[in-house]
Amino acid sequence: MEGCHLYSTDWSWCLFIRVLLLLLIAQGNADLAASSCQLRGTRWTEEKPYSACLTTDWQALALKDSYANKNESYFGVLGEAYGSISFGHVLSLHLKGVIKDMPQLDFDHSISMRQTEYAFLQLGNPIVDSIYAASGIIDAPFGLDHRVHRFSLPGRTDKLWPHSVRGSRGSIRWRDDLLLEFGAHQNQRSDLESQQQQIISGRLVQNIDLLHGTRLIGSYLSSADYMEREVGLATLVHNEGNRTSLEWVRKTSAASDQSFEQVFRFVHEQQEDTWLWNLTMEELSQDSYIIKYGAQKAWTESFSGLVCLQYQRERIEPSHKHLTLLLGIDYQEAKSWEGVKL
Amino acid sequence: MKFGFFRYARHICLLNLLWLAEAHGQSSQIVKEFHKDQGKRNRDEVYASINRMVQNPLLASGLVSGTESLNRSVESLMESLFYSIMDQDLRVSATDNMDITSEYKRDVHTANIGGYVVVDRFQLGPGFLKNLGEIRGLPLTFSAQGRLFITNASHRSDAQRKSETQKNGFWPNLVANWLGLLPLMSYLLPPSFNPEELYDPVSYLSTPFLFPTNIEEALKLPLGNVRSYGLSGNASFTLDTAGRAAKSLQSSLGLNDLDLTIPLSLFRDGEHRITILRRDESHVWLSLSETRRIGGSIAMPLGKHYRILQKLVSWWAGVSAPISPISFDLEKSRVYRIDELYDFNLLLAQAQDAFVKALHGDFQYVRALTAQEPKPEKLANGIEFQFRRITTRDESGHKQERSLYVAQKQKQNRFGVGESVTRDPDGEFLTLEAEHTAYDRAWNVLVGSDTVEFHHRLSIPVRKEIGPDKRSLLTLVASTENPIYLTASLRIIDSFVDTRDYHRTLGILRRYTGLSLKEAPEIPTYAEDLRQNLIREQALANPMNDIYRQQITATHLGKLASNAHIYFSHDIMLALARLGPSVLWTSLAKAFELDSEEWKEKGPREGFSYYTNIAGTYAAYPLRLLGLEDNYPDIALEAQRLRRGFDSLLAAKDPLAIQAAYEKLLDSPHPLELIQTFADMAKGLAVPILVGFDAQTQGRGRDSEDVRKSKEQFAQLNDKIFDSPWPIPPLKRDQSIEEKLASFSPGGFQNAKKTPQLAQIKILLNRSKGSPEARLQCLLTGLNMSMRHGNIQAYIRIEQHGSLNLGRFVLSEEMLKLSPDLSSISENALETSSDIYRIDMNGPEGLSNSAFLDKAIAEGGSFDMHVSLSEEGDSWGPEQIMSFSIENGILKNL
């Protein structure tokens, strides 16, 4: 097994890699879109049926992080489940949870996570209604945060986009091209009550008829006491099933005139037959740079293999350069039900 | 059970089809026509009229004065990432105030669909800059520079690039394409990336040595290529007026991060240039031009150069990201210019001798030979004097730019009034001129640029006589053969047109010409089947991911270029001037999309609405100057200006008064609304109008049924001509001179020899009985074939019409030498100088790398085929596209 040089001599690791590589180059024809819930007909807006949707996504992952002459290997699972019940497009309930358990090989250390990502009630549906609102555990309407492998690869920019926060948000759409979203939330950074923070945020989205849809997004976020503020600009382009985004976010604090946190991020996802390629370049000012290149290959409607290589260069001590390899098998399933009209 | 039965039945049907094909052989064919018959009209004449536009004024001014052309003055993302690698300058300081600079620069301009003008320039010379002190705290500087320059301007296309590839061989080709990086970038980057910006760095670097010095080198020039060399220089005094008040205003607007200067300049510049243009196998045009300008300008650039992704890699300085939200430039100048043009037949000895002398700056000999000097030595064979023109003109212009790195908007307006004294082989004549050009360009990083150009021109033929008091008197010499008319031209080019752009273009043309263009297809903005699909696929998605949701967008159609020309005779303009004020107000209100009934009454009364409208104009003026507003309806001021212009026209008795009246009429910030008003007022009068379209569909992905229908409708517009019942007036003498001069900007070059045109593409798929191999063939019908068995070449590029993507996926690209398919030539073909060529697309004599076609015949596939024809590979006919698919071994039109 010494020949299997992805830093480890562990036989299970090598076997897993070999099987994955074989599967990645295997031929297959699958429609990746089949892993999401879809309506059966196109008369949904008129007929307003009850509908329910359940999607699950399970990934068996192997991750290898190499830095400063150290190698750390993790092997485990990541699961995401999303369910919704909708009463026409008027009222709907949505739940999403994430579970992650990746023990480190050779050491008694594990990366674990159990999180309710979303649990909210929504009035209206953005696809047909010009006004809609949601309340519960939701994302604050701020920025774009286009990320590939959000839960499976390490990142350092989580704090700039408030995800899974308790609160409410509303949205108003003018014509088809302008959308204003606003919300008030409690950003719970830790279990300590002293670190809970009231935030307000807003996002203005302009849709433009460029290629297969382009969005310009301007965002603002502030703590309720205005001590911390964030502004963001982003653009997202759809073209032939591909997505490209460029985003800038800057966070300043009234406590310090000099310090700020700032992110530039470029993401491109390209679909070619059964392959989905992605490229990410990210700069977190005075902190780190990341380049990420990955691919996902669909074998069947549900099964796919994924691979991603990430290079991260830290600018703060100890200034490590991380090279991270992620390999995995992904299983996705989607079920939807539609009932009689209201 | 039910589904199982249908699946079984489908298999049975497919088996039956395959059996039938096997037993009897199978063939299918598809056809696409390109040039439609234009009825009784002389097609060539109509096309010549349509293409009679008007050189790109900016390109022309860039070529003439050597000033920086518009499209590169503010960097975009593509430029800072890729194109800037071609623009290199080396500056060496000689003293504290002086340096010597050598500079390479490439500019690429869209000339028409699929065609570009590439201008490479090398210049070398000293620059001087001295701070002269301060006036009231404002810095005053003096600058001067002189340049020796050489330019190489050529009209290029994909076909030409491929033609060069095949001539050059492997290694030069590898270098020209940056070791294969250029095709890769064309594939990966969005449609706005233009490979011409980077193609062939070796020729680019050899620009200083490209100007021919003898006959042999001149005869090796590619057809239509324009090369020039000369000297230019300028001197200016500049006062930076961005004082404390401007800086504090900048600070109060929170724009401290940006750099602000407001330079006020007095300048004088000049240029001496010799230019050659190869017209055909033996003839070369050679021109001498002298330009002097003196004037003043004020500018206000506000912006900053940022750098992003710095230190991502330790040795990389990051990406330059210039932001320039506001930039404007106002200029007023007096221009004095001499142009002189000769045609040389380089196969004749005497012409060769004169040509070489002229090439080196000695024009005395050629002037003597062509009787331009008082005492001609002898008249020469092979040299034809074209003209010598001296122009004096007062010009004013303004330019606004806004660049946000991934998107840019640029506008330029130029107005000129002056006179020209021209001597041509028929003698000397004098014209008074008034001319307005307006150029709008929008660019974004995804789909590239679209341009709208207006060109309004009037010339008055006059005769100069010296009166008894020794003052010169101008007399009008207009006649039926040499009439006065105002020519209004509009050109719109969009290389990525969707249904919304298409409607906008049609709307502009309808407004500009007053023609209803009823036969232009009505295409719905959105494809309904796509909209329903998007709802079906996304309605049950997590609303928290709504920010990533794909919206329905206007259907992408392809590329579109359109030209419109209107001819208002002087008599028609006088008739318009005599119409009552309510007619003027009604037409103006329609042009500005206001309530015409309301303004018909209110306008002439000049009451509250009138003055409110004028107040709005003045309020919007600062924003307009900064390029932030251009939609305010200035109806009151425009009516005032037009009324004054019309009154002056009615009162004008002499040519200068007529010129002044037209100057008032034409000098409008709203060229579209101006001509719309004239066209509306002149309804029913004899106003010749011509509108032409060049439309090419583009396949982008697997199109839905509704998208395909839209593209089919769009394709019907190609080569369509719309006109009014009145004939187009003949070309005047001064216009003929203008056209010859326009030839020196390569976009304006019109090949004297007709280029071959594709009339039809037919693709046939044959599978003979008992043979497992299918044969795919293509029959090309070409028009304008002058050589019956000569060097006819075809450029063929096949791209995937499939699930791709941001870039262009080229499957095969090839140049082929063709021989006419004698079996397919009819007697009619001989009369119409058309030929039919047969090309094997697969098999042993097929296209190279044609395995994908065999695969498509077996498994199915969709393709876009681009074809262009040429005689000898020098100049190419327009590129045509045919989209087709092969499904179950059957050909289908897409």
Side-chain angles (χ1 to χ4, degrees):
Chain A
M1 286 295 155
E2 280 298 314
C4 178
H5 262 296
L6 276 162
Y7 316 118
S8 171
T9 55
D10 182 80
W11 71 270
S12 59
W13 166 257
C14 288
L15 182 65
F16 181 75
I17 288 166
R18 284 176 176 171
V19 170
L20 263 181
L21 289 174
L22 269 176
L23 289 170
L24 273 170
I25 57 172
Q27 291 297 310
N29 285 306
D31 179 5
L32 291 181
S35 56
S36 62
C37 290
Q38 294 187 3
L39 287 170
R40 278 200 294 271
T42 55
R43 295 178 56 78
W44 181 67
T45 48
E46 294 91 49
E47 292 173 352
K48 303 184 184 69
Y50 294 102
S51 60
C53 163
L54 180 64
T55 64
T56 55
D57 185 354
W58 290 97
Q59 294 179 356
L61 299 172
L63 189 143
K64 190 78 161 183
D65 187 14
S66 170
Y67 64 98
N69 297 322
K70 289 184 190 167
N71 293 309
E72 290 178 3
S73 304
Y74 300 86
F75 182 79
V77 291
L78 168 68
E80 295 177 53
Y82 164 75
S84 69
I85 300 171
S86 307
F87 301 91
H89 56 86
V90 181
L91 182 68
S92 53
L93 178 68
H94 305 260
L95 294 164
K96 185 178 177 190
V98 183
I99 182 169
K100 183 177 174 183
D101 196 2
M102 293 189 71
Q104 187 179 1
L105 302 177
D106 307 329
F107 294 95
D108 189 18
H109 172 246
S110 174
I111 303 171
S112 294
M113 182 176 81
R114 275 162 184 66
Q115 183 185 321
T116 305
E117 201 186 359
Y118 303 120
F120 62 94
L121 201 63
Q122 166 127 347
L123 289 172
N125 187 312
I127 205 157
V128 284
D129 296 313
S130 53
I131 298 177
Y132 47 96
S135 188
I137 300 174
I138 53 178
D139 289 342
F142 179 81
L144 177 67
D145 198 15
H146 185 188
R147 252 190 292 178
V148 186
H149 303 306
R150 181 175 162 211
F151 294 112
S152 46
L153 276 172
R156 299 164 75 99
T157 53
D158 268 338
K159 55 195 169 185
L160 290 172
W161 287 271
H163 291 290
S164 307
V165 288
R166 291 193 178 88
S168 301
R169 59 189 265 184
S171 310
I172 303 170
R173 187 188 302 279
W174 288 276
R175 305 187 305 267
D176 274 340
D177 61 350
L178 201 61
L179 173 73
L180 175 67
E181 297 174 291
F182 45 86
H185 312 269
Q186 190 173 56
N187 193 9
Q188 193 172 3
R189 288 168 165 181
S190 78
D191 292 337
L192 295 172
E193 197 173 325
S194 62
Q195 291 201 11
Q196 289 186 357
Q197 192 186 30
Q198 303 292 326
I199 55 170
I200 52 171
S201 68
R203 181 162 68 184
L204 191 64
V205 182
Q206 165 91 53
N207 293 316
I208 305 173
D209 268 6
L210 269 180
L211 298 181
H212 285 163
T214 298
R215 284 188 159 166
L216 299 178
I217 301 155
S219 309
Y220 176 79
L221 181 147
S222 169
S223 58
D225 56 5
Y226 297 100
M227 291 297 283
E228 286 189 347
R229 294 178 192 192
E230 281 185 56
V231 288
L233 285 173
T235 180
L236 174 72
V237 181
H238 290 270
N239 189 41
E240 305 284 348
N242 309 323
R243 288 195 300 200
T244 308
S245 70
L246 186 66
E247 181 163 25
W248 166 77
V249 170
R250 185 174 174 129
K251 182 178 184 178
T252 52
S253 168
S256 166
D257 288 342
Q258 302 299 320
S259 73
F260 63 88
E261 292 172 278
Q262 180 170 279
V263 169
F264 276 103
R265 183 191 284 160
F266 168 82
V267 182
H268 177 65
E269 289 181 279
Q270 182 155 325
Q271 179 88 55
E272 282 182 42
D273 296 328
T274 52
W275 285 90
L276 180 65
W277 300 92
N278 62 75
L279 170 72
T280 300
M281 291 168 78
E282 182 178 286
E283 178 190 359
L284 179 58
S285 63
Q286 299 156 20
D287 186 289
S288 59
Y289 306 99
I290 286 178
I291 296 180
K292 197 160 39 179
Y293 188 59
Q296 187 162 359
K297 159 83 176 164
W299 298 307
T300 69
E301 281 192 1
S302 299
F303 275 103
S304 58
L306 57 94
V307 60
C308 187
L309 189 65
Q310 174 171 301
Y311 170 74
Q312 178 179 304
R313 183 164 177 243
E314 293 170 0
R315 295 167 73 185
I316 48 171
E317 291 300 328
S319 302
H320 288 317
K321 293 171 186 171
H322 289 261
L323 188 63
T324 310
L325 176 69
L326 176 78
L327 290 166
I329 296 173
D330 185 284
Y331 174 78
Q332 297 182 58
E333 195 64 63
K335 283 272 178 208
S336 60
W337 297 268
E338 286 175 51
V340 293
K341 68 177 181 180
L342 283 172
Chain B
M1 204 46 199
K2 200 164 79 174
F3 288 116
F5 170 75
F6 280 119
R7 198 174 293 167
Y8 177 71
R10 207 177 115 208
H11 282 145
I12 295 281
C13 288
L14 270 175
L15 281 172
N16 271 332
L17 273 174
L18 286 173
W19 176 81
L20 281 169
E22 193 67 29
H24 303 289
Q26 187 185 43
S27 68
S28 55
Q29 66 175 49
I30 50 173
V31 180
K32 188 169 180 184
E33 307 269 351
F34 297 103
H35 278 278
K36 293 168 189 70
D37 192 12
Q38 293 297 327
K40 290 177 185 172
R41 275 188 303 226
N42 180 335
R43 186 172 56 203
D44 293 338
E45 205 173 278
V46 172
Y47 278 98
S49 304
I50 276 294
N51 293 322
R52 187 179 295 163
M53 175 85 190
V54 243
Q55 53 191 314
N56 177 330
L58 294 164
L59 175 58
S61 70
L63 284 172
V64 169
S65 65
T67 52
E68 195 168 330
S69 64
L70 189 68
N71 74 336
R72 297 296 300 278
S73 53
V74 188
E75 277 195 347
S76 70
L77 179 66
M78 283 294 175
E79 283 146 19
S80 66
L81 279 179
F82 307 111
Y83 305 161
S84 56
I85 200 167
M86 298 293 271
D87 295 345
Q88 299 294 335
D89 55 343
L90 176 68
R91 204 175 293 263
V92 179
S93 290
T95 66
D96 285 350
N97 298 320
M98 198 170 113
D99 57 26
I100 295 176
T101 306
S102 75
E103 189 179 19
Y104 273 101
K105 192 163 174 54
R106 170 171 286 185
D107 282 326
V108 179
H109 306 259
T110 306
N112 212 326
I113 284 186
Y116 304 96
V117 179
V118 180
V119 183
D120 292 338
R121 184 181 175 93
F122 171 79
Q123 55 186 23
L124 173 74
F128 180 81
L129 179 71
K130 184 159 177 63
N131 197 342
L132 299 178
E134 291 188 344
I135 298 176
R136 292 181 176 267
L138 303 174
L140 176 70
T141 51
F142 171 73
S143 65
Q145 66 172 25
R147 293 281 185 267
L148 167 69
F149 65 86
I150 296 175
T151 64
N152 175 30
S154 48
H155 192 255
R156 303 191 60 91
S157 63
D158 289 340
Q160 203 164 1
R161 204 165 68 242
K162 184 66 190 170
S163 160
E164 286 174 7
T165 299
Q166 299 222 333
K167 279 181 196 164
N168 292 345
F170 178 75
W171 290 108
N173 184 28
L174 201 64
V175 175
N177 285 291
W178 295 81
L179 306 176
L181 273 177
L182 199 59
L184 183 71
M185 282 156 73
S186 307
Y187 165 56
L188 288 175
L189 293 169
S192 69
F193 177 75
N194 187 348
E196 291 292 350
E197 292 272 7
L198 297 178
Y199 179 70
D200 197 3
V202 174
S203 294
Y204 177 64
L205 289 173
S206 58
T207 303
F209 315 104
L210 285 180
F211 194 82
T213 52
N214 53 44
I215 303 297
E216 292 72 30
E217 287 174 4
L219 284 173
K220 280 182 191 162
L221 284 180
L223 213 63
N225 194 268
V226 179
R227 290 182 186 170
S228 61
Y229 78 98
L231 276 169
S232 68
N234 69 54
S236 67
F237 287 97
T238 303
L239 186 71
D240 185 357
T241 57
R244 251 180 248 156
K247 298 277 184 193
S248 68
L249 178 66
Q250 182 192 4
S251 176
S252 63
L253 291 172
L255 300 171
N256 274 336
D257 278 359
L258 306 176
D259 300 328
L260 171 72
T261 55
I262 309 178
L264 176 68
S265 304
L266 288 175
F267 64 83
R268 182 184 168 90
D269 56 34
E271 186 184 276
H272 177 91
R273 174 188 289 255
I274 291 172
T275 309
I276 58 168
L277 159 66
R278 189 167 172 215
R279 296 274 298 167
D280 58 33
E281 285 72 21
S282 54
H283 287 257
V284 172
W285 274 3
L286 188 146
S287 86
L288 169 73
S289 69
E290 287 269 348
T291 311
R292 302 274 180 275
R293 284 195 323 146
I294 184 163
S297 72
I298 185 164
M300 196 187 88
L302 175 70
K304 181 113 183 151
H305 259 78
Y306 293 99
R307 285 208 167 266
I308 57 172
L309 298 172
Q310 262 178 312
K311 298 173 188 169
L312 178 65
V313 183
S314 54
W315 47 264
W316 190 34
V319 178
S320 164
I323 304 286
S324 176
I326 293 170
S327 174
F328 80 85
D329 195 345
L330 292 174
E331 188 184 289
K332 211 165 171 52
S333 60
R334 167 155 281 210
V335 182
Y336 177 78
R337 184 176 162 144
I338 300 174
D339 293 293
E340 197 170 338
L341 178 65
Y342 298 90
D343 178 282
F344 292 87
N345 181 348
L346 294 187
L347 301 181
L348 300 175
Q350 200 168 29
Q352 288 178 349
D353 194 20
F355 177 76
V356 171
K357 282 185 174 163
L359 210 55
H360 293 96
D362 177 5
F363 278 74
Q364 296 303 321
Y365 187 55
V366 68
R367 281 177 193 147
L369 289 177
T370 53
Q372 299 309 301
E373 293 293 312
K375 290 178 185 170
E377 292 172 17
K378 54 182 174 178
L379 288 175
N381 283 328
I383 308 174
E384 199 178 318
F385 168 68
Q386 298 288 318
F387 66 85
R388 177 181 165 85
R389 187 174 79 162
I390 301 170
T391 306
T392 314
R393 183 183 276 213
D394 288 321
E395 286 193 345
S396 59
H398 63 269
K399 186 166 79 172
Q400 298 141 352
E401 298 174 348
R402 188 167 62 245
S403 172
L404 300 173
Y405 197 43
V406 292
Q408 291 180 345
K409 195 150 179 55
Q410 294 152 329
K411 276 184 100 157
Q412 178 156 331
N413 265 277
R414 186 169 286 273
F415 194 84
V417 181
E419 63 171 52
S420 295
V421 183
T422 312
R423 191 164 71 240
D424 66 7
D426 296 331
E428 190 169 281
F429 63 93
L430 178 65
T431 47
L432 301 180
E433 298 152 355
E435 189 171 35
H436 180 212
T437 54
Y439 179 83
D440 278 15
R441 176 179 180 267
W443 178 93
N444 70 64
V445 72
L446 298 176
V447 298
S449 66
D450 60 86
T451 56
V452 180
E453 296 171 51
F454 296 93
H455 186 234
H456 301 158
R457 188 173 189 278
L458 170 94
S459 64
I460 307 167
V462 291
R463 189 173 58 240
K464 192 180 263 186
E465 288 163 351
I466 304 298
D469 52 354
K470 295 191 176 174
R471 286 175 58 189
S472 57
L473 289 173
L474 295 176
T475 318
L476 201 62
V477 290
S479 60
T480 320
E481 293 77 35
N482 191 14
I484 305 176
Y485 55 79
L486 165 68
T487 318
S489 302
L490 165 65
R491 175 162 67 176
I492 304 174
I493 302 175
D494 193 341
S495 52
F496 191 98
V497 71
D498 62 28
T499 41
R500 207 182 287 279
D501 300 327
Y502 169 70
H503 293 146
R504 184 182 69 104
T505 301
L506 279 189
I508 291 175
L509 289 168
R510 281 182 178 130
R511 287 177 61 190
Y512 192 75
T513 61
L515 294 180
S516 62
L517 307 179
K518 271 183 195 159
E519 286 175 47
E522 287 299 327
I523 306 174
T525 306
Y526 299 115
E528 190 54 32
D529 56 354
L530 270 188
R531 184 207 292 273
Q532 293 301 330
N533 264 347
L534 283 174
I535 290 178
R536 198 176 60 78
E537 287 170 11
Q538 300 182 116
L540 296 182
N542 184 349
M544 288 300 125
N545 295 335
D546 187 56
I547 194 74
Y548 305 113
R549 179 161 59 85
Q550 190 181 338
Q551 300 271 107
I552 180 78
T553 53
T555 308
H556 171 238
L557 299 169
K559 298 177 178 182
L560 179 67
S562 47
N563 286 320
H565 304 278
I566 314 178
Y567 302 82
F568 295 100
S569 70
H570 183 54
D571 291 341
I572 294 278
M573 293 304 287
L574 286 171
L576 300 190
R578 287 189 200 102
L579 293 172
S582 63
V583 180
L584 174 65
W585 279 97
T586 305
S587 298
L588 263 177
K590 280 186 204 165
F592 281 109
E593 293 174 335
L594 298 171
D595 186 339
S596 55
E597 285 302 312
E598 190 185 329
W599 282 99
K600 182 182 170 183
E601 303 296 327
K602 274 187 190 172
R605 282 208 302 270
E606 300 190 0
F608 179 73
S609 304
Y610 178 90
Y611 288 107
T612 313
N613 185 272
I614 288 180
T617 298
Y618 287 119
Y621 192 75
L623 294 176
R624 187 167 293 164
L625 204 61
L626 302 177
L628 301 174
E629 200 291 324
D630 48 15
N631 291 322
Y632 184 77
D634 306 316
I635 185 169
L637 275 188
E638 280 295 287
Q640 219 177 64
R641 195 182 52 74
L642 284 178
R643 194 59 265 161
R644 265 192 247 126
F646 281 138
D647 289 344
S648 306
L649 199 61
L650 290 173
K653 299 285 178 231
D654 63 84
L656 282 173
I658 294 174
Q659 184 191 32
Y662 275 103
E663 184 186 347
K664 282 180 195 152
L665 287 171
L666 290 181
D667 191 9
S668 165
H670 301 282
L672 171 62
E673 286 79 6
L674 175 76
I675 300 301
Q676 184 181 356
T677 303
F678 288 166
D680 190 65
M681 290 172 79
K683 244 177 202 159
L685 301 175
V687 179
I689 305 172
L690 203 57
V691 178
F693 291 93
D694 191 355
Q696 288 182 5
T697 56
Q698 275 179 316
R700 295 185 57 80
R702 206 168 284 276
D703 294 337
S704 72
E705 188 63 34
D706 288 354
V707 171
R708 206 164 63 234
K709 272 185 206 161
S710 297
K711 286 186 179 174
E712 279 169 14
Q713 285 177 295
F714 178 66
Q716 290 166 13
L717 195 66
N718 194 35
D719 289 341
K720 249 196 166 44
I721 305 279
F722 298 85
D723 59 2
S724 61
W726 295 280
I728 304 297
L731 207 61
K732 294 201 294 184
R733 259 170 105 182
D734 63 298
Q735 285 176 320
S736 162
I737 301 293
E738 283 289 323
E739 286 208 351
K740 283 175 181 166
L741 275 176
S743 296
F744 282 90
S745 63
F749 172 68
Q750 296 199 6
N751 195 348
K753 192 171 74 175
K754 290 173 190 168
T755 55
Q757 310 260 333
L758 260 177
Q760 188 192 71
I761 300 178
K762 185 188 278 187
I763 302 180
L764 305 114
L765 179 62
N766 291 312
R767 193 194 298 267
S768 53
K769 186 182 169 184
S771 166
E773 287 178 5
R775 201 168 164 216
L776 195 67
Q777 286 184 320
C778 167
L779 285 175
L780 305 178
T781 307
L783 292 173
N784 298 342
M785 298 297 172
S786 60
M787 299 182 202
R788 303 302 299 165
H789 302 287
N791 287 324
I792 307 296
Q793 295 181 32
Y795 164 76
I796 297 184
R797 186 173 79 247
I798 300 182
E799 293 179 4
Q800 184 178 345
H801 181 96
S803 56
L804 286 178
N805 78 16
L806 274 172
R808 292 158 281 199
F809 190 30
V810 179
L811 295 164
S812 174
E813 195 174 27
E814 199 153 331
M815 302 281 309
L816 299 167
K817 286 205 167 181
L818 304 177
S819 301
D821 182 7
L822 298 173
S823 64
S824 308
I825 293 179
S826 64
E827 282 181 19
N828 189 33
L830 289 169
E831 286 166 20
T832 57
S833 72
S834 69
D835 269 341
I836 297 174
Y837 305 94
R838 187 180 292 268
I839 297 170
D840 285 328
M841 294 177 70
N842 69 337
E845 292 179 0
L847 303 177
S848 55
N849 307 318
S850 63
F852 66 93
L853 287 172
D854 295 326
K855 194 177 171 193
I857 292 164
E859 298 173 14
S862 306
F863 308 95
D864 294 323
M865 185 166 80
H866 302 243
V867 186
S868 177
L869 294 179
S870 171
E871 289 183 338
E872 296 188 330
D874 281 335
S875 57
W876 289 82
E879 193 172 296
Q880 303 288 5
I881 303 173
M882 180 169 192
S883 299
F884 65 95
S885 72
I886 304 172
E887 288 173 26
N888 299 322
I890 306 285
L891 271 171
K892 283 186 180 169
N893 237 325
L894 285 179

